[in-house]
Coordinates of all heavy atoms in Angstrom, one line a residue:
G24 N 0.1 23.7 -18.2 CA -0.4 22.8 -19.2 C -1.9 22.9 -19.2 O -2.5 22.8 -20.3
L25 N -2.6 23.0 -18.1 CA -4.1 23.1 -18.0 C -4.5 24.3 -18.7 O -5.5 24.3 -19.4 CB -4.5 23.0 -16.6 CG -6.0 23.1 -16.4 CD1 -6.8 22.0 -17.0 CD2 -6.4 23.2 -14.9
W26 N -3.8 25.4 -18.5 CA -4.2 26.7 -19.2 C -4.1 26.5 -20.7 O -5.0 27.0 -21.4 CB -3.3 27.8 -18.7 CG -3.4 29.1 -19.4 CD1 -2.5 29.7 -20.2 CD2 -4.6 29.9 -19.5 NE1 -3.0 30.9 -20.7 CE2 -4.3 31.0 -20.3 CE3 -5.9 29.8 -18.9 CZ2 -5.2 32.0 -20.6 CZ3 -6.8 30.8 -19.2 CH2 -6.5 31.9 -20.0
T27 N -3.1 25.8 -21.2 CA -2.9 25.6 -22.6 C -4.1 24.8 -23.1 O -4.7 25.1 -24.2 CB -1.6 24.9 -22.9 OG1 -0.5 25.7 -22.4 CG2 -1.5 24.6 -24.4
T28 N -4.5 23.8 -22.3 CA -5.7 23.0 -22.7 C -6.9 23.8 -22.8 O -7.7 23.7 -23.8 CB -5.9 21.8 -21.7 OG1 -4.8 20.9 -21.8 CG2 -7.2 21.1 -22.0
V29 N -7.1 24.7 -21.9 CA -8.3 25.5 -21.8 C -8.4 26.5 -23.0 O -9.4 26.6 -23.7 CB -8.4 26.3 -20.5 CG1 -9.6 27.3 -20.5 CG2 -8.7 25.3 -19.3
W30 N -7.3 27.2 -23.2 CA -7.4 28.2 -24.3 C -7.3 27.5 -25.7 O -7.9 28.0 -26.7 CB -6.4 29.3 -24.2 CG -4.9 29.0 -24.3 CD1 -4.0 29.0 -23.2 CD2 -4.1 28.6 -25.4 NE1 -2.8 28.7 -23.7 CE2 -2.8 28.5 -25.0 CE3 -4.4 28.5 -26.8 CZ2 -1.8 28.1 -25.9 CZ3 -3.4 28.1 -27.7 CH2 -2.1 28.0 -27.2
L31 N -6.7 26.3 -25.8 CA -6.8 25.6 -27.1 C -8.2 25.2 -27.3 O -8.7 25.3 -28.5 CB -5.9 24.4 -27.0 CG -5.9 23.4 -28.2 CD1 -5.5 24.2 -29.5 CD2 -5.0 22.2 -28.0
S32 N -8.9 24.7 -26.3 CA -10.4 24.4 -26.5 C -11.2 25.6 -26.8 O -12.2 25.5 -27.6 CB -10.9 23.7 -25.2 OG -10.1 22.5 -24.9
A33 N -10.8 26.7 -26.2 CA -11.6 28.0 -26.4 C -11.4 28.4 -27.9 O -12.3 29.2 -28.4 CB -11.1 29.1 -25.5
I34 N -10.4 28.0 -28.6 CA -10.2 28.3 -30.0 C -10.9 27.3 -30.8 O -11.6 27.6 -31.8 CB -8.7 28.4 -30.4 CG1 -8.0 29.5 -29.6 CG2 -8.5 28.5 -31.9 CD1 -6.5 29.5 -29.8
V35 N -10.7 26.0 -30.5 CA -11.2 25.0 -31.4 C -12.7 24.8 -31.4 O -13.4 24.6 -32.4 CB -10.5 23.6 -31.0 CG1 -11.2 22.5 -31.8 CG2 -9.0 23.7 -31.3
I36 N -13.3 24.9 -30.2 CA -14.7 24.7 -30.0 C -15.6 25.7 -30.8 O -16.4 25.3 -31.6 CB -15.2 24.6 -28.6 CG1 -14.6 23.4 -27.9 CG2 -16.7 24.7 -28.4 CD1 -14.8 23.3 -26.4
P37 N -15.3 27.0 -30.7 CA -16.1 28.0 -31.5 C -15.9 27.8 -33.0 O -16.8 27.8 -33.8 CB -15.7 29.3 -31.0 CG -15.1 29.1 -29.7 CD -14.5 27.7 -29.7
L38 N -14.6 27.6 -33.4 CA -14.3 27.4 -34.8 C -15.0 26.2 -35.4 O -15.6 26.2 -36.5 CB -12.8 27.4 -35.1 CG -12.1 28.7 -34.9 CD1 -10.6 28.4 -35.1 CD2 -12.6 29.7 -35.9
G39 N -14.9 25.1 -34.6 CA -15.6 23.9 -35.1 C -17.1 24.0 -35.1 O -17.7 23.5 -36.1
A40 N -17.7 24.7 -34.1 CA -19.1 24.8 -34.1 C -19.6 25.7 -35.3 O -20.6 25.4 -35.9 CB -19.6 25.4 -32.8
I41 N -18.9 26.8 -35.5 CA -19.3 27.7 -36.6 C -19.2 27.0 -37.9 O -20.1 27.0 -38.8 CB -18.5 29.0 -36.6 CG1 -18.8 29.8 -35.3 CG2 -18.7 29.8 -37.8 CD1 -17.9 31.0 -35.1
S42 N -18.0 26.3 -38.1 CA -17.8 25.5 -39.4 C -18.9 24.5 -39.5 O -19.4 24.3 -40.6 CB -16.4 24.9 -39.4 OG -15.4 25.9 -39.3
G43 N -19.2 23.7 -38.4 CA -20.2 22.7 -38.5 C -21.6 23.3 -38.8 O -22.4 22.6 -39.6
L44 N -21.9 24.4 -38.3 CA -23.2 25.1 -38.6 C -23.3 25.4 -40.1 O -24.3 25.2 -40.7 CB -23.4 26.3 -37.7 CG -24.6 27.1 -38.0 CD1 -25.9 26.3 -37.8 CD2 -24.7 28.4 -37.1
V45 N -22.2 26.0 -40.6 CA -22.2 26.3 -42.1 C -22.4 25.0 -42.9 O -23.2 25.0 -43.8 CB -20.9 27.0 -42.4 CG1 -20.8 27.2 -44.0 CG2 -20.8 28.4 -41.8
L46 N -21.7 24.0 -42.6 CA -21.9 22.7 -43.3 C -23.3 22.2 -43.2 O -23.9 21.7 -44.2 CB -20.9 21.7 -42.8 CG -19.4 22.0 -43.0 CD1 -18.6 20.9 -42.3 CD2 -19.1 22.1 -44.4
A47 N -23.9 22.3 -42.0 CA -25.2 21.8 -41.8 C -26.3 22.6 -42.6 O -27.2 22.0 -43.1 CB -25.6 21.8 -40.3
V48 N -26.1 23.9 -42.6 CA -27.0 24.7 -43.4 C -26.9 24.4 -44.9 O -27.9 24.3 -45.6 CB -26.6 26.2 -43.2 CG1 -27.4 27.1 -44.2 CG2 -27.0 26.6 -41.8
I49 N -25.7 24.1 -45.4 CA -25.5 23.7 -46.8 C -26.3 22.4 -47.1 O -27.0 22.3 -48.0 CB -24.0 23.6 -47.2 CG1 -23.4 25.0 -47.1 CG2 -23.9 22.9 -48.5 CD1 -21.9 24.9 -47.3
V50 N -26.1 21.4 -46.2 CA -26.7 20.1 -46.4 C -28.2 20.2 -46.4 O -28.9 19.5 -47.2 CB -26.2 19.1 -45.3 CG1 -27.0 17.8 -45.3 CG2 -24.7 18.8 -45.5
T51 N -28.8 21.0 -45.5 CA -30.2 21.0 -45.3 C -30.9 22.1 -46.1 O -32.1 22.0 -46.4 CB -30.6 21.3 -43.8 OG1 -30.0 22.5 -43.4 CG2 -30.1 20.2 -42.9
Q52 N -30.2 23.1 -46.6 CA -30.9 24.2 -47.3 C -30.4 24.5 -48.7 O -31.2 25.1 -49.4 CB -30.6 25.5 -46.5 CG -31.0 25.5 -45.0 CD -32.5 25.3 -44.8 OE1 -33.3 25.8 -45.6 NE2 -32.9 24.5 -43.8
S53 N -29.3 24.0 -49.1 CA -28.8 24.3 -50.4 C -29.6 23.5 -51.5 O -30.0 22.3 -51.3 CB -27.3 23.9 -50.6 OG -26.8 24.1 -51.9
S54 N -29.8 24.2 -52.6 CA -30.5 23.5 -53.7 C -29.6 22.9 -54.7 O -30.0 22.2 -55.6 CB -31.4 24.6 -54.4 OG -30.6 25.6 -54.9
R55 N -28.3 23.1 -54.5 CA -27.3 22.5 -55.4 C -26.9 21.1 -54.9 O -26.3 20.9 -53.9 CB -26.0 23.4 -55.5 CG -26.3 24.7 -56.1 CD -25.0 25.5 -56.1 NE -25.2 26.8 -56.8 CZ -25.6 27.9 -56.3 NH1 -26.0 27.9 -55.0 NH2 -25.7 29.0 -57.0
R56 N -27.3 20.1 -55.7 CA -27.1 18.7 -55.2 C -25.6 18.4 -55.1 O -25.2 17.7 -54.2 CB -27.7 17.7 -56.2 CG -27.6 16.3 -55.8 CD -28.3 15.4 -56.8 NE -29.8 15.6 -56.7 CZ -30.7 14.9 -57.4 NH1 -30.2 14.0 -58.3 NH2 -31.9 15.2 -57.3
W57 N -24.8 18.9 -56.1 CA -23.3 18.6 -56.0 C -22.7 19.1 -54.8 O -21.8 18.5 -54.2 CB -22.7 19.1 -57.3 CG -22.7 20.6 -57.4 CD1 -23.7 21.3 -58.1 CD2 -21.8 21.6 -56.9 NE1 -23.4 22.7 -58.0 CE2 -22.3 22.9 -57.3 CE3 -20.6 21.5 -56.1 CZ2 -21.6 24.0 -56.9 CZ3 -20.0 22.6 -55.8 CH2 -20.4 23.9 -56.2
L58 N -23.2 20.3 -54.3 CA -22.6 20.9 -53.1 C -23.0 20.2 -51.9 O -22.2 19.9 -51.0 CB -23.1 22.4 -53.0 CG -22.5 23.2 -51.9 CD1 -21.0 23.3 -51.9 CD2 -23.1 24.6 -51.9
R59 N -24.3 19.7 -51.9 CA -24.7 19.0 -50.7 C -24.0 17.7 -50.6 O -23.5 17.3 -49.5 CB -26.2 18.7 -50.8 CG -27.1 19.9 -50.7 CD -28.5 19.5 -50.3 NE -29.0 18.3 -51.1 CZ -29.7 18.5 -52.2 NH1 -29.9 19.7 -52.7 NH2 -30.2 17.4 -52.9
W60 N -23.8 17.0 -51.7 CA -23.1 15.7 -51.7 C -21.6 15.9 -51.3 O -21.0 15.0 -50.7 CB -23.3 14.9 -53.0 CG -24.6 14.3 -53.1 CD1 -25.7 14.7 -53.9 CD2 -25.0 13.1 -52.4 NE1 -26.7 13.8 -53.7 CE2 -26.4 12.8 -52.8 CE3 -24.4 12.3 -51.4 CZ2 -27.1 11.8 -52.3 CZ3 -25.2 11.2 -50.9 CH2 -26.5 11.0 -51.3
G61 N -21.0 17.0 -51.8 CA -19.6 17.2 -51.4 C -19.5 17.4 -49.9 O -18.5 16.9 -49.3
V62 N -20.4 18.2 -49.3 CA -20.3 18.4 -47.9 C -20.6 17.1 -47.1 O -20.0 16.8 -46.1 CB -21.4 19.5 -47.5 CG1 -21.5 19.6 -46.0 CG2 -20.9 20.8 -48.1
I63 N -21.6 16.3 -47.6 CA -21.8 15.0 -46.9 C -20.6 14.1 -47.0 O -20.3 13.4 -46.0 CB -23.0 14.3 -47.6 CG1 -24.3 15.1 -47.3 CG2 -23.2 12.9 -47.2 CD1 -25.5 14.6 -48.1
A64 N -19.9 14.1 -48.1 CA -18.7 13.3 -48.3 C -17.6 13.8 -47.3 O -16.9 13.0 -46.6 CB -18.2 13.4 -49.7
Y65 N -17.5 15.1 -47.1 CA -16.6 15.7 -46.2 C -16.9 15.2 -44.7 O -16.0 14.8 -44.0 CB -16.6 17.2 -46.2 CG -15.9 17.9 -45.1 CD1 -14.6 18.3 -45.3 CD2 -16.5 18.2 -43.9 CE1 -13.9 19.0 -44.3 CE2 -15.8 18.9 -42.9 CZ -14.5 19.2 -43.1 OH -13.9 19.8 -42.0
I66 N -18.2 15.4 -44.4 CA -18.6 15.0 -43.0 C -18.3 13.5 -42.8 O -17.8 13.1 -41.7 CB -20.1 15.3 -42.9 CG1 -20.3 16.8 -42.9 CG2 -20.6 14.7 -41.5 CD1 -21.8 17.2 -42.9
D67 N -18.7 12.7 -43.7 CA -18.5 11.2 -43.5 C -17.0 10.9 -43.4 O -16.6 10.0 -42.6 CB -19.1 10.4 -44.6 CG -20.6 10.5 -44.6 OD1 -21.2 10.8 -43.5 OD2 -21.3 10.1 -45.6
F68 N -16.2 11.5 -44.3 CA -14.8 11.2 -44.3 C -14.1 11.6 -42.9 O -13.4 10.8 -42.3 CB -14.1 12.0 -45.4 CG -12.6 11.8 -45.4 CD1 -12.0 10.7 -46.0 CD2 -11.8 12.8 -44.9 CE1 -10.6 10.5 -46.0 CE2 -10.4 12.6 -44.9 CZ -9.8 11.5 -45.5
F69 N -14.3 12.8 -42.5 CA -13.6 13.2 -41.2 C -14.2 12.6 -40.0 O -13.5 12.6 -39.0 CB -13.6 14.8 -41.2 CG -12.6 15.4 -42.1 CD1 -13.0 16.0 -43.3 CD2 -11.2 15.3 -41.8 CE1 -12.0 16.5 -44.1 CE2 -10.3 15.9 -42.6 CZ -10.7 16.5 -43.8
R70 N -15.5 12.2 -40.0 CA -16.0 11.4 -38.9 C -15.4 10.0 -38.8 O -15.2 9.5 -37.7 CB -17.5 11.3 -39.0 CG -18.3 12.6 -38.7 CD -19.7 12.4 -38.8 NE -20.2 11.6 -37.6 CZ -21.4 11.0 -37.6 NH1 -22.1 10.9 -38.7 NH2 -21.7 10.4 -36.5
A71 N -15.0 9.5 -39.9 CA -14.4 8.2 -39.9 C -12.9 8.2 -39.8 O -12.3 7.2 -39.4 CB -14.8 7.4 -41.2
F72 N -12.2 9.3 -40.1 CA -10.8 9.4 -40.1 C -10.3 9.6 -38.7 O -10.8 10.5 -38.0 CB -10.3 10.5 -41.0 CG -8.9 10.4 -41.5 CD1 -8.6 9.6 -42.6 CD2 -7.9 11.1 -40.9 CE1 -7.3 9.4 -43.0 CE2 -6.6 10.9 -41.3 CZ -6.3 10.1 -42.4
P73 N -9.3 8.8 -38.2 CA -8.8 9.0 -36.9 C -8.1 10.4 -36.7 O -7.3 10.8 -37.4 CB -7.7 7.9 -36.7 CG -8.1 6.9 -37.8 CD -8.7 7.7 -38.9
P74 N -8.6 11.1 -35.6 CA -8.0 12.5 -35.4 C -6.5 12.5 -35.1 O -5.8 13.4 -35.5 CB -8.8 13.0 -34.2 CG -9.4 11.8 -33.6 CD -9.6 10.8 -34.6
L75 N -6.0 11.4 -34.5 CA -4.6 11.3 -34.2 C -3.8 11.3 -35.5 O -2.8 12.0 -35.7 CB -4.2 10.1 -33.3 CG -2.8 9.9 -33.0 CD1 -2.1 11.1 -32.4 CD2 -2.6 8.7 -32.2
V76 N -4.2 10.4 -36.4 CA -3.6 10.3 -37.7 C -3.7 11.6 -38.5 O -2.7 12.0 -39.2 CB -4.2 9.1 -38.6 CG1 -3.5 9.0 -39.9 CG2 -4.0 7.8 -37.8
L77 N -4.8 12.2 -38.4 CA -5.1 13.5 -39.1 C -4.1 14.6 -38.6 O -3.5 15.3 -39.4 CB -6.5 14.0 -38.9 CG -6.9 15.4 -39.5 CD1 -6.7 15.3 -41.0 CD2 -8.3 15.7 -39.1
L78 N -3.9 14.6 -37.3 CA -2.9 15.6 -36.7 C -1.5 15.3 -37.2 O -0.7 16.2 -37.6 CB -3.0 15.5 -35.2 CG -2.0 16.4 -34.4 CD1 -2.1 17.9 -34.9 CD2 -2.2 16.3 -32.9
I79 N -1.1 14.1 -37.2 CA 0.2 13.7 -37.7 C 0.4 14.1 -39.2 O 1.5 14.6 -39.6 CB 0.5 12.2 -37.5 CG1 0.5 11.9 -36.0 CG2 1.7 11.7 -38.2 CD1 0.6 10.4 -35.7
L80 N -0.6 13.8 -40.0 CA -0.5 14.2 -41.4 C -0.4 15.7 -41.6 O 0.4 16.2 -42.4 CB -1.7 13.7 -42.2 CG -1.8 12.2 -42.4 CD1 -3.1 11.8 -43.1 CD2 -0.6 11.7 -43.2
V81 N -1.2 16.5 -40.8 CA -1.1 17.9 -41.0 C 0.2 18.5 -40.5 O 0.8 19.3 -41.2 CB -2.3 18.6 -40.2 CG1 -2.1 20.1 -40.1 CG2 -3.6 18.2 -40.8
Y82 N 0.7 18.0 -39.4 CA 1.9 18.6 -38.8 C 3.2 18.1 -39.5 O 4.1 18.9 -39.8 CB 2.0 18.3 -37.3 CG 3.2 19.0 -36.7 CD1 3.3 20.4 -36.5 CD2 4.3 18.3 -36.2 CE1 4.3 21.0 -35.9 CE2 5.4 18.9 -35.6 CZ 5.4 20.3 -35.5 OH 6.5 20.9 -34.9
F83 N 3.2 16.8 -39.7 CA 4.5 16.2 -40.3 C 4.4 16.0 -41.8 O 5.4 15.9 -42.5 CB 4.7 14.8 -39.7 CG 5.1 14.9 -38.2 CD1 4.1 14.5 -37.3 CD2 6.3 15.4 -37.8 CE1 4.4 14.6 -35.9 CE2 6.6 15.5 -36.4 CZ 5.6 15.1 -35.5
G84 N 3.2 16.0 -42.4 CA 3.0 15.8 -43.8 C 3.0 17.0 -44.7 O 3.6 17.0 -45.8
W85 N 2.3 18.1 -44.2 CA 2.2 19.3 -45.0 C 3.5 19.9 -45.4 O 3.6 20.5 -46.4 CB 1.3 20.3 -44.3 CG -0.2 19.9 -44.5 CD1 -0.7 18.7 -44.8 CD2 -1.3 20.7 -44.3 NE1 -2.1 18.7 -44.8 CE2 -2.5 19.9 -44.5 CE3 -1.5 22.1 -43.9 CZ2 -3.7 20.5 -44.4 CZ3 -2.7 22.6 -43.8 CH2 -3.9 21.8 -44.0
P86 N 4.6 19.8 -44.5 CA 5.9 20.4 -44.9 C 6.4 19.8 -46.2 O 7.1 20.5 -46.9 CB 6.8 20.1 -43.7 CG 5.9 20.1 -42.6 CD 4.6 19.5 -43.1
F87 N 6.1 18.6 -46.5 CA 6.5 18.0 -47.8 C 5.8 18.6 -49.0 O 6.3 18.5 -50.1 CB 6.2 16.5 -47.8 CG 7.1 15.7 -46.8 CD1 6.7 15.3 -45.6 CD2 8.4 15.3 -47.2 CE1 7.5 14.6 -44.7 CE2 9.3 14.6 -46.4 CZ 8.8 14.3 -45.1
L88 N 4.7 19.3 -48.7 CA 4.0 20.0 -49.7 C 4.4 21.5 -49.8 O 3.8 22.3 -50.5 CB 2.5 19.9 -49.5 CG 1.9 18.5 -49.5 CD1 0.4 18.6 -49.2 CD2 2.1 17.8 -50.8
G89 N 5.4 21.8 -48.9 CA 5.9 23.2 -48.9 C 5.1 24.1 -47.9 O 5.2 25.3 -47.9
I90 N 4.3 23.5 -47.1 CA 3.5 24.2 -46.1 C 4.0 24.0 -44.7 O 3.8 22.9 -44.1 CB 2.0 23.8 -46.2 CG1 1.4 24.0 -47.6 CG2 1.1 24.7 -45.2 CD1 0.0 23.5 -47.8
E91 N 4.7 25.0 -44.1 CA 5.3 24.9 -42.8 C 4.3 25.4 -41.8 O 3.9 26.6 -41.9 CB 6.6 25.6 -42.7 CG 7.7 25.0 -43.6 CD 8.3 23.7 -43.1 OE1 8.0 23.4 -41.9 OE2 8.9 23.0 -43.8
L92 N 3.9 24.6 -40.8 CA 3.0 25.1 -39.8 C 3.6 25.0 -38.4 O 4.4 24.0 -38.1 CB 1.7 24.2 -39.8 CG 0.9 24.2 -41.1 CD1 -0.2 23.2 -41.0 CD2 0.3 25.6 -41.4

Side-chain angles (χ1 to χ4, degrees):
L25 179 62
W26 172 244
T27 301
T28 294
V29 170
W30 63 253
L31 177 60
S32 301
I34 295 172
V35 171
I36 290 173
L38 288 177
I41 293 171
S42 301
L44 176 59
V45 171
L46 295 175
V48 169
I49 293 173
V50 170
T51 58
Q52 305 296 323
S53 177
S54 59
R55 295 179 174 87
R56 181 176 297 181
W57 63 268
L58 183 58
R59 291 202 314 271
W60 281 107
V62 171
I63 291 171
Y65 169 94
I66 293 171
D67 290 345
F68 176 81
F69 282 104
R70 289 182 70 200
F72 201 82
L75 177 58
V76 178
L77 178 61
L78 175 57
I79 292 173
L80 287 176
V81 171
Y82 185 68
F83 295 105
W85 283 19
F87 290 98
L88 302 176
I90 305 174
E91 296 286 345
L92 299 174

